[in-house]
Every structure is written in structure tokens, then in C-alpha cells.
Amino acid sequence: MFELDYFVDILPRLFAAALINVQLALIIAICALVSAIGLTILRVQKIAVLNMAINLVMSFVRGTPLLVQIFLCYYVLPSIGIDLGPITAGLLAITLNSTVFIAETMRGGLQTMDPGQVEAATALGLRAHLIWGKIIVPQLILRIVPMLVNEFTVIIKGTALLSVITVVEVMRAAQQLASSSFRPFESMLGAGLVFLVVNGVFILAGMRLESGMRERIG
């Protein structure tokens, strides 16, 4: 039978564990966004060999489960001399995964932009890094803010998978509570509620951010 008192009692511990998920997700999101911008710039250079290598990696990431990618970073990389701790391996795997999906979103966003701005900037003699930094990237990010918010919620949920490589976050804490109390239902329901609240907060924050950016530009 469901025990409400126990469920309420474990929520503070689960929300405390959620701070680990949020911290990891923020690091991953920043690294993935920067990496995706760099990857997007590389792809538009249209260097055949480079694009072939990028497409191969992206196809692998998009075609395999995130859990497999986490296992590869944590269990396989040490066999070739790259020994990573669980948090570092998890950060690497999820960052790579998120980079690929953000880069694909950026590629689509680039196709909707008016090339006239770039042509005008080029005619004025602006260098490539200024064109990207001052013209393309700010507009591109604004165009894909809703997708970025959605990707961030995916990242937060993805951090739950790090429980399988012993990172103590919400899911790991819920598993420990379930094992010690023999009450898996309340523990897992609590974990689900925590993820729902955390993602809800970031979705609302993302909506306000998007609205503020559009008002400032408009």
C-alpha cells in the first residue's frame, strides 16, 4: 500500500540529489552548445573528408542509444588507455550526444536565415569570425531557442542514466532508498516527480528567456 508519509519524507533527499543532475546538465548544455557551434562552422566549410568524418560520427551517435554511448566512454575507453571517472565519462557521452542533435538543429536553422546579411557583411570587409560571432550565431540561437530548451530537458533526463555507472543523482538515490526501505513504488514515483518539477522550472525559464530575447531584438 502507498505510504504518503514515507513519500513526503524522501522528497527532500531526492530534490537534494537533483542538484547533481542540474549541475551536470548545465555543464553539458554549455559544452554541447559551444561544440555544436564549432561543428556547424566546420560543416559549412564543405571540406569533403572532414564532412565525411563528421557525418560518420553523427550517424553513429544518432543511431545508437545514449546508454550504449555512456558504456563506451566508461568501460571501453579505459581499454585504450583513456581511464575516465564515472562523472567525466558521463559528461563526455551526453555532451557528444547533445552536440550532434544541437548541430543538426543549427543546420536546419541556418537554412532559414536570409543570406543577404552575410553577403552585406562580407561586402563591408568583415572577417569571418566577426560575421559568425556578431551576425550568424546570435540570430541562429534566437531561432532555435525552443529546440534548445527541449534539448536541455532531454539532457536532464539523460543524466538519470548515469546511475548505471554509479553516479549518485536522483535515480541512484531513489534506487538506494528503494533497496533500504523495500518501497520501490514511492521511491521511483518520487524520482519521477522530481524530474517533472525540475524540467517544468527550466521549460518556464526557457519560455521567459525566449520572450525576453525577442522583445529586446524586436
Side-chain angles (χ1 to χ4, degrees):
M1 184 178 294
F2 179 79
E3 288 193 8
L4 180 60
D5 290 342
Y6 176 75
F7 178 73
V8 173
D9 286 342
I10 64 174
L11 285 180
R13 179 172 173 180
L14 293 175
F15 274 107
L19 293 177
I20 301 297
N21 296 79
V22 172
Q23 290 170 1
L24 292 175
L26 288 172
I27 294 171
I28 291 166
I30 293 171
C31 293
L33 180 59
V34 173
S35 300
I37 292 172
L39 190 60
T40 300
I41 294 173
L42 288 176
R43 295 178 78 187
V44 299
Q45 304 307 310
K46 297 182 179 179
I47 302 173
V49 176
L50 181 60
N51 278 354
M52 187 180 300
I54 291 174
N55 289 336
L56 182 63
V57 173
M58 294 181 72
S59 295
F60 174 81
V61 171
R62 295 172 65 187
T64 57
L66 176 56
L67 184 59
V68 171
Q69 297 161 25
I70 293 171
F71 282 161
L72 286 173
C73 290
Y74 187 59
Y75 292 112
V76 177
L77 288 184
S79 66
I80 58 174
I82 305 175
D83 194 3
L84 304 176
I87 291 180
T88 305
L91 287 173
L92 176 61
I94 303 177
T95 297
L96 176 61
N97 184 277
S98 185
T99 295
V100 166
F101 286 97
I102 294 176
E104 278 295 283
T105 301
M106 287 184 168
R107 184 176 69 86
L110 274 177
Q111 295 175 350
T112 67
M113 292 180 63
D114 180 10
Q117 299 179 66
V118 177
E119 293 171 359
T122 303
L124 290 172
L126 290 181
R127 295 184 177 181
H129 70 278
L130 290 176
I131 294 175
W132 278 97
K134 299 294 186 180
I135 299 174
I136 299 177
V137 171
Q139 293 187 61
L140 183 57
I141 291 177
L142 178 61
R143 288 171 182 267
I144 66 171
V145 164
M147 286 76 84
L148 290 177
V149 172
N150 180 68
E151 180 61 23
F152 188 71
T153 64
V154 172
I155 290 172
I156 291 179
K157 290 182 285 187
T159 59
L161 294 174
L162 301 185
S163 62
V164 301
I165 55 173
T166 72
V167 176
V168 182
E169 43 65 68
V170 173
M171 282 303 299
R172 188 73 173 180
Q175 291 168 357
Q176 292 172 344
L177 288 167
S179 298
S180 62
S181 65
F182 300 102
R183 305 206 66 85
F185 179 65
E186 291 89 340
S187 301
M188 294 304 161
L189 183 62
L193 176 62
V194 168
F195 276 113
L196 181 63
V197 171
V198 170
N199 274 330
V201 169
F202 279 104
I203 289 172
L204 290 175
M207 292 171 63
R208 294 194 63 178
L209 174 64
E210 180 187 7
S211 176
M213 291 175 67
R214 292 192 183 280
E215 288 178 2
R216 182 176 300 179
I217 293 177

